[in-house]
């Protein structure tokens, strides 16, 4: 059943969606932060990246579209690829910070 979902046409659609929608979402959130927040800071792109939709939301939408609306398979594949790309992008974009040692003697 899952092998039916991953077809080449759908993967191409997902990559196109990711290439168009993700930069647009980042730009729109960055612009709104810059426009509406008076104390503007330079790291607004990190906030914009973190506000993209997450994997669980995308998979729930795909499930609903498949079961209730009988959407074509390549569209579902495209949504899955887009959701995976937008969910993995913040993890790849942000710097890795080493874990800190905590003083647990005061707890």
């Amino acid at each position: 059943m899952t092998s039916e979902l991953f077809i080449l046409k759908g993967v191409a659609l997902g990559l196109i969606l990711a290439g168009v929608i993700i930069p647009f979402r980042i730009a729109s959130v960055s612009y709104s932060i810059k426009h509406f927040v008076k104390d503007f800071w330079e790291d607004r792109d990190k906030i914009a990246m973190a506000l993209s939709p997450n994997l669980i939301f995308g998979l729930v939408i795909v499930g609903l579209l498949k079961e209730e609306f009988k959407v074509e398979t390549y569209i579902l594949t495209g949504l899955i690829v887009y959701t995976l790309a937008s969910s993995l992008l913040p993890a790849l974009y942000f710097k890795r910070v080493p874990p800190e040692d905590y003083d647990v003697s005061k707890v």
Side-chain angles (χ1 to χ4, degrees), residues 28-43:
S28 65
V29 172
S30 295
Y31 173 76
S32 65
I33 290 172
K34 181 178 180 180
H35 184 69
F36 293 111
V37 175
K38 300 299 179 199
D39 297 329
F40 173 71
W41 59 93
E42 295 300 320
D43 293 334

Side-chain angles (χ1 to χ4, degrees), residues 6-55:
F6 290 101
I7 56 177
L8 190 58
K9 185 177 179 182
V11 172
L13 177 65
L15 293 174
I16 290 170
L17 285 173
V20 172
I21 294 175
I22 292 173
F24 177 74
R25 287 184 55 95
I26 291 170
S28 65
V29 172
S30 295
Y31 173 76
S32 65
I33 290 172
K34 181 178 180 180
H35 184 69
F36 293 111
V37 175
K38 300 299 179 199
D39 297 329
F40 173 71
W41 59 93
E42 295 300 320
D43 293 334
R44 69 184 183 277
D45 55 341
K46 292 180 181 179
I47 294 171
M49 182 77 65
L51 291 177
S52 48
N54 63 12
L55 184 60

Side-chain angles (χ1 to χ4, degrees), residues 85-103:
S86 66
S87 296
L88 290 175
L89 203 55
L92 299 173
Y93 183 71
F94 293 142
K95 288 191 274 184
R96 302 263 185 230
V97 178
E100 295 181 15
D101 293 329
Y102 293 102
D103 183 14

Side-chain angles (χ1 to χ4, degrees), residues 6 55 59 79-89:
F6 290 101
L55 184 60
L59 293 177
L79 288 173
I80 291 171
V81 169
Y82 164 74
T83 304
L84 286 171
S86 66
S87 296
L88 290 175
L89 203 55

